[in-house]
Amino acid sequence: MIEKYKRRAVFSMLIVLTVILSAVLWYQDRDKKRNTKAAELKQGTAYFSNATARPGTPVEVVAANYPMFTQLVYEWRVDGELIEHDGSSYTPVEADLEKMITVTVRADGYEEQMLSVYCSKLPVLYIDTDDGTNVESKDEYKSAYYVLQGAGEGPYETVTGGAWVKGRGNYSWTLPKTPYKLKLDDEADLLGMGENKHWVLIPNMPDPSLMRNTLSCWISEQMGLVSMKTKWVALVVNGSCMGNYQLCQQIRPGADRVPAADWEELSGQVAETVYSEGGVPGEKEELKAYLEQNLSWMSEGVFEFKGKNYTVPDQLMPSALTGGFVLEIDISFDRTTQFFSHVGLPIMVCFPEYAKSNQELMDYIVDYVQAVEDAAYDEEGYGTFRGKSVHYSELVDMDSLVNYWLVSELFYNVDFDMKSIFLYKYIEGKLFLGPIWDMDLTCGIGDEREDSYTLWATWNSGTKEQTIMWYRPLIKNRDFVRQAFEAYHRYRPLFQEMVRDGGMIDQYYGYLCESGQADAKRWREEADDEYFERAVYQELKPWLINRLIWMDEQFASEETLAQSLNAY
């Protein structure tokens, strides 16, 4: 009987061991069949199961390809400080906002793994340069990899890919917190702003409220001006948080950008078509770059490349060379194609960059801009374009002309009429003002006089360019003054929406308060715990309230407006 029970015990033990072995084999097989991300990981690797970190939502670590029963130890830190917490998940609290959460995963016999994720209400953009060094040039791109996590911005999923990054800007590039240009390897829709390769990251260093650019973009879009879409993000470069940035569409022709013909895109289409026919030496990208920089083919229909002549297909020839321009009036005067107007305004052709390589294209835009300027300076508002007498309202879209001026005056842009004045033109049709750009030196910043809200930006005379810009003579035109008066009262409720209790400024502050305060502490030596709140509620908002009170007085009637502007 005893032997019988012994045999049963041995048999039962064999069954148990078989079950355990089967379980081990099943788990191993399951690990092999995990999702692609896990399958590609080397043994002993860990990763976060969720891409974002927000208060109240657990951040979980997945340990991949460790053998069963491996004892794992998790060490969690917030901004480098060890916290009393063990386990494979950690739930951030409000105090963790705008801080880096790091976990170190250890196991005997395995190399430790360190994972980091930035905790923010905002989307987080991670950029890691291939060589691991920071961006120090605005002339040369660095290759990089980016990850954009859309936390707090609706349903937007994580977007990743290769990219090129460099510095940008003029004055802003000299500041400690620098702007960047981001060129993606492939077009991507970032945070619902439309698919494109070209983006900019604006630091808003002069603006402690971080709101002036976004407010002016919002206002101008509501008023019908072309406006670049923008979203605030937390930027992390090579593992270091750089603070609050605006991820913004770059000003360039495109479906979701400036509505002008894209000659660079057309150059790419020509290159693609010609290259596909075979027999073209070199790389396709080389041909595309050649066509972008040598635009004579748009007039002639033929081009020479590496000693061989090619014909441009008829269906790809432009219908006319009377548009597709994005211009900028700016004293930096640092573009590939640029010219001075007769009174001395510096006009830069942003797109097409190499307009000067096509004389027909260049002659047209120089003549057109000069006709606008002549009409602006004429007492009756007339200039001559290609032998025809034309009124400035026939050359420039009046709504954009008036509304651009109104936004610039509302915010009291101290750079108005000398920097970042953008214009664009369709193939057919008029010249348009916009988009509004570079509005961080506004609303009392850049002019520290206590009564700056009682001044007209049009009469700023900091530079020669401000004294000769077209708006100086235009405000002496009764028709312009009348349309400005009507536009102000049409949009006055919209202006109030910015400053009312619960309005745009209050909403922005509720969203940005932790990010704005953390950014101030990171970049401003004088920042205390109430710095960001003061920047919004003791500086920006009161200034705009006072500005509207003053403007209401100036726009009481057409006569009071004309008198205030010293128009006529």
Side-chain angles (χ1 to χ4, degrees):
M1 181 66 70
I2 294 174
E3 291 298 324
K4 179 179 179 180
Y5 283 113
K6 284 183 177 179
R7 286 196 299 273
R8 285 182 177 178
V10 171
F11 183 71
S12 298
M13 187 173 295
L14 287 172
I15 291 175
V16 171
L17 290 173
T18 301
V19 170
I20 292 174
L21 180 60
S22 298
V24 169
L25 292 173
W26 183 86
Y27 276 107
Q28 288 178 344
D29 185 61
R30 183 197 67 175
D31 288 343
K32 292 178 182 178
K33 295 178 180 178
R34 282 182 184 272
N35 58 47
T36 304
K37 182 176 180 180
E40 293 176 351
L41 295 175
K42 295 180 180 179
Q43 187 177 22
T45 301
Y47 62 90
F48 288 127
S49 64
N50 47 334
T52 60
R54 303 192 72 201
T57 301
V59 176
E60 298 183 358
V61 178
V62 175
N65 299 330
Y66 286 92
M68 280 190 65
F69 310 120
T70 301
Q71 184 67 38
L72 298 174
V73 177
Y74 301 88
E75 180 183 278
W76 294 87
R77 294 177 181 270
V78 176
D79 259 10
E81 294 191 11
L82 184 66
I83 58 176
E84 293 183 5
H85 180 80
D86 190 18
S88 61
S89 70
Y90 170 72
T91 302
V93 297
E94 291 290 329
D96 295 334
L97 280 170
E98 303 309 318
K99 295 178 182 178
M100 189 71 77
I101 297 174
T102 305
V103 59
T104 304
V105 183
R106 297 188 178 94
D108 289 342
Y110 290 87
E111 195 173 307
E112 69 179 32
Q113 308 293 321
M114 182 177 289
L115 309 175
S116 297
V117 62
Y118 194 74
C119 183
S120 181
K121 289 181 184 178
L122 278 57
V124 182
L125 175 59
Y126 300 87
I127 298 176
D128 292 306
T129 59
D130 289 353
D131 63 7
T133 61
N134 291 331
V135 178
E136 297 179 348
S137 170
K138 65 175 188 174
D139 299 316
E140 297 182 4
Y141 278 106
K142 275 182 176 289
S143 58
Y145 188 82
Y146 78 96
V147 177
L148 177 60
Q149 300 168 346
E153 288 291 341
Y156 306 119
E157 298 179 357
T158 298
V159 182
T160 66
W164 298 85
V165 61
K166 68 176 182 177
R168 62 174 300 277
N170 292 304
Y171 168 69
S172 56
W173 180 246
T174 68
L175 301 176
K177 185 184 178 189
T178 50
Y180 301 103
K181 164 71 192 302
L182 189 65
K183 181 180 179 181
L184 311 184
D185 286 351
D186 300 298
E187 289 187 350
D189 181 0
L190 303 187
L191 302 175
M193 293 188 285
E195 289 193 355
N196 209 286
K197 289 184 179 182
H198 301 277
W199 304 85
V200 295
L201 286 158
I202 301 172
N204 290 314
M205 184 69 185
D207 175 14
S209 78
L210 307 175
M211 296 183 189
R212 285 164 169 83
N213 272 311
T214 299
L215 274 172
S216 59
C217 284
W218 177 79
I219 280 283
S220 59
E221 184 177 24
Q222 299 301 308
M223 295 171 67
L225 292 169
V226 166
S227 178
M228 296 298 97
K229 295 182 178 65
T230 178
K231 299 281 187 179
W232 285 292
V233 298
L235 177 64
V236 179
V237 178
N238 292 329
S240 297
C241 184
M242 308 301 290
N244 181 298
Y245 273 72
Q246 272 183 276
L247 176 63
C248 187
Q249 296 176 321
Q250 185 193 18
I251 296 176
R252 62 186 299 117
D256 291 307
R257 305 293 174 92
V258 178
D262 189 343
W263 298 131
E264 292 184 4
E265 181 182 12
L266 182 61
S267 298
Q269 294 173 2
V270 172
E272 182 76 35
T273 302
V274 172
Y275 199 83
S276 66
E277 294 174 353
V280 181
E283 298 293 330
K284 181 169 60 180
E285 287 302 312
E286 185 181 4
L287 175 59
K288 179 178 181 293
Y290 174 83
L291 292 173
E292 288 179 359
Q293 296 172 24
N294 299 273
L295 296 174
S296 59
W297 60 267
M298 294 201 303
S299 295
E300 300 166 2
V302 296
F303 64 90
E304 181 183 344
F305 181 65
K306 293 191 173 182
K308 187 176 179 180
N309 294 324
Y310 299 89
T311 300
V312 179
D314 290 342
Q315 69 271 21
L316 293 178
M317 284 295 291
S319 59
L321 297 183
T322 56
F325 299 103
V326 178
L327 310 177
E328 181 183 6
I329 300 173
D330 196 302
I331 59 176
S332 62
F333 208 57
D334 56 359
R335 298 278 185 167
T336 302
T337 300
Q338 53 196 15
F339 60 94
F340 285 102
S341 71
H342 289 176
V343 299
L345 275 183
I347 314 291
M348 303 188 296
V349 183
C350 305
F351 296 96
E353 180 181 357
Y354 292 91
K356 65 181 181 180
S357 65
N358 184 303
Q359 196 61 49
E360 180 184 356
L361 197 67
M362 197 66 190
D363 288 346
Y364 180 88
I365 193 58
V366 170
D367 291 348
Y368 199 98
V369 167
Q370 193 54 56
V372 173
E373 179 173 279
D374 292 344
Y377 271 90
D378 182 71
E379 289 186 3
E380 300 300 323
Y382 283 88
T384 301
F385 179 63
R386 305 258 162 125
K388 180 182 177 181
S389 178
V390 286
H391 192 263
Y392 69 83
S393 61
E394 298 177 81
L395 297 168
V396 185
D397 176 78
M398 284 301 297
D399 286 340
S400 73
L401 184 68
V402 170
N403 292 345
Y404 191 97
W405 176 81
L406 200 52
V407 173
S408 300
E409 286 295 356
L410 174 64
F411 284 81
Y412 185 59
N413 182 6
V414 297
D415 284 342
F416 185 45
D417 286 351
M418 71 169 179
K419 293 180 67 176
S420 301
I421 309 297
F422 284 91
L423 312 94
Y424 63 95
K425 189 182 183 302
Y426 300 98
I427 290 179
E428 301 296 339
K430 303 176 183 179
L431 191 69
F432 284 73
L433 272 289
I436 288 284
W437 195 253
D438 244 356
M439 296 289 281
D440 43 6
L441 289 175
T442 61
C443 302
I445 294 180
D447 187 334
E448 308 306 327
R449 288 174 287 185
E450 291 185 5
D451 65 345
S452 62
Y453 57 82
T454 68
L455 304 173
W456 290 109
T458 308
W459 288 109
N460 274 340
S461 299
T463 67
K464 168 196 169 185
E465 288 74 17
Q466 288 179 308
T467 67
I468 59 176
M469 177 55 184
W470 306 331
Y471 281 113
R472 284 278 183 101
L474 280 174
I475 61 172
K476 297 182 180 297
N477 184 286
R478 291 180 181 275
D479 188 56
F480 182 88
V481 172
R482 177 184 57 79
Q483 292 195 48
F485 174 79
E486 292 173 353
Y488 180 80
H489 289 282
R490 183 183 312 124
Y491 296 113
R492 181 60 176 81
L494 182 66
F495 303 155
Q496 189 64 31
E497 180 61 26
M498 287 194 304
V499 299
R500 71 170 179 84
D501 290 344
M504 298 307 297
I505 289 177
D506 290 355
Q507 293 174 40
Y508 288 164
Y509 177 78
Y511 181 54
L512 290 176
C513 54
E514 295 89 359
S515 176
Q517 182 58 34
D519 189 85
K521 285 291 190 71
R522 182 172 287 109
W523 293 106
R524 304 177 191 277
E525 294 181 1
E526 71 276 19
D528 57 22
D529 292 339
E530 287 79 39
Y531 184 90
F532 182 66
E533 182 178 3
R534 286 199 307 274
V536 175
Y537 288 112
Q538 294 183 26
E539 297 173 19
L540 174 62
K541 190 172 181 178
W543 192 96
L544 277 169
I545 289 172
N546 286 328
R547 181 65 164 175
L548 284 172
I549 292 171
W550 180 79
M551 290 187 77
D552 284 345
E553 295 171 353
Q554 314 316 303
F555 282 86
S557 68
E558 286 186 42
E559 291 71 25
T560 58
L561 178 59
Q563 290 172 6
S564 179
L565 287 169
N566 194 25
Y568 41 81

